[in-house]
Amino acid sequence: MNGVPVKIGRRRERLLLGLLLLDMGRSIPVRRLIELLWTGEGVPTSARASLHAHVSRLRGLFQGVVAQGQELTIASDGAGYTLQASPQCVDVHRFRYLVRRADRAPSATECTALLDRALGEWQGPVLGSDGPQELVHRMGSGLNEMYLSAVTLRAEARLTLGQHNGLLEELAQLVQEHPHHERIALLRMGALYRSGHRSEALSVYEETRARLADDLGLDPGSDLRRAQEMILLADGTPEEWPRGLIGDRWREAITVPVERSGLRTAVGTAPPVPSIPTSAAGFTGRETELHRISELSQGIRRRTPAVAIVGAAGNGKTALALEWARRHHDHYPGGLDIVDLQGYSTRPALTPDEALRILLTRRGFSPHRMPHGMAELTALHHSEFAGSPSLLVLDNAVSAQQVLPLLPPAPGSLVLVTSRNRLSSLLVAADVGMVQLGPLSPGDAHQVLQHVVGAGRTGAEPQATAELAALCGHSPLALRIAAANLVMHPQCRIADHAEALRDGNPVDCLAIAGERDSSVGFSLALSVRRLGHEAQAFFRALGSLSGPRAGLPALERLTGLPRARVSELLDLLFAEHLVHVDGADRFRMDELAWQYARLLAMAETRGAAGISDCAA
């Protein structure tokens, strides 16, 4: 402290200090500290007394120690302990603070500088060698995810600044360590192409596509496909790529060095080349919903500008929108564009003006000469859609307010919006068509498993296949994850996988090893994190119910809240498709959402971390 080392001889006391530092400023219950300190061991009957002794010795060591102008103390409130000190004296909190600042930085230069400082604070695994591997993984998974995000964002900022040559080795290593991470593959393609290695950039796409197909049964996402198309169609000026994919968040993003006329660049005089999405891997069924979108789109040509596809996490909203766009894009001569609004993402949701700038940049407008005011940006956007009918997919929206400024009034154009939020106010404000997307039918769920796993295996175990589909809640995401795990373990019977889901918590099992963002739990966490603190706690409480259906009186008894507040909190969860209403006084949850709530409730009971640690 203040440059003076403080030696802590006992391993468990070093571990205790690490745990208190991770949650600095918050009281950690005694029962949680005991459970964490003796992870992987039998908790002795003397654990509480031992904990008090460890705390007492730490207090003695830190008596009079000052860090960042504040004395370091361990306070007790009777139920737990709190380490009180300045967060700036701890590397992990400096790291978090700098990464969050970098994520909001207005320029790529500032972002790079902040991330250089943040990554300089990274000292390796959380708790070092003092904690068992199980505890290190449990407490450090969220930080490891933030570290990867920071490394990826810094690479994007450096690529935006034209530092592509210096990124080649770093990105090659990252691709090797994270072979299914599409953003890293995209950045490597950009660095290779800007360095003059066009064929190598295209090889990265093919290698990533093959890995996704072989390991997960998935196709590349829209950004990766668009990157391939841009490289294939490029005219030999590498600095021109990748417009609309990298660097759009920063004002200084590299622009095309060509002659300009007014606001528009010379190369942007024609509508964008349609980025035609391939069909989602094993896209099955949904013919009723596809037909409904077509019906609504005909009505839209007369009166409304958009169709919203809404539903719970994992129900395949994006796949449905892209499949419809794939089938009908040729009806829109003004072009097709797809924007991920990042509403349910680890990255900040795009603001309407950020989305407008991305769209206008893709259509050839110079970012440096674009109007700054929202009204002027909206008018420019509307004028772009005033000519030939265009098709726009706004994926992953978080609210009606995010979408409304992006809806063009021009007749004939169409906007497809996908969201986990019900976007109810769009029905009032814009008379938008609405498609509610639920789970697949049992037959279509079977077809998804058959497509990925193979007809031979599903045909040999038809009953187990039906049970596995039911345990997945007929959710497309859960089905694809289960199928990918079966593909990666060809000796595993479908019945064995179904048994594992049945005997444990399915949310725990429905994950791809080593890919935290490829899991049902991670997807549901992104929905829960949109809620406020009280609504998160309320969702967690639903996991203590005996089943996924209940009435308001049961929730009143469980939470101790008055009925009016229970109803208000249910409304918040209903808006995010986390619960469904069955009559005036009853509600139900999808099976996987309830199982996820159970995980959170059990973690809280055990004294483990809350939503952010359990789900991240």
Side-chain angles (χ1 to χ4, degrees), residues 540-609:
R540 196 162 55 240
L542 300 183
S544 300
L545 295 168
S546 59
R549 299 173 184 270
L552 293 186
L555 285 183
E556 291 178 71
R557 293 191 296 270
L558 178 67
T559 63
L561 297 172
R563 177 167 295 203
R565 186 56 184 155
V566 168
S567 296
E568 290 170 356
L569 291 168
L570 278 176
D571 285 343
L572 294 175
L573 270 59
F574 175 77
E576 299 294 334
H577 281 94
L578 291 168
V579 301
H580 308 281
V581 176
D582 286 345
D585 294 332
R586 295 193 62 79
F587 79 96
R588 62 180 171 85
M589 304 176 72
D590 292 332
E591 181 71 21
L592 292 178
W594 177 64
Q595 294 285 4
Y596 179 60
R598 284 186 63 211
L599 276 182
L600 298 181
M602 287 188 292
E604 185 178 48
T605 301
R606 292 194 306 266

Side-chain angles (χ1 to χ4, degrees), residues 506-527:
V507 176
D508 265 340
C509 300
L510 290 168
I512 302 296
E515 297 291 333
R516 296 185 62 255
D517 55 350
S518 296
S519 72
V520 169
F522 184 83
S523 181
L524 286 165
L526 295 176
S527 290

Side-chain angles (χ1 to χ4, degrees), residues 340-351:
D340 180 2
L341 297 178
Q342 300 175 182
Y344 297 85
S345 167
T346 55
R347 303 180 69 182
L350 293 183
T351 62

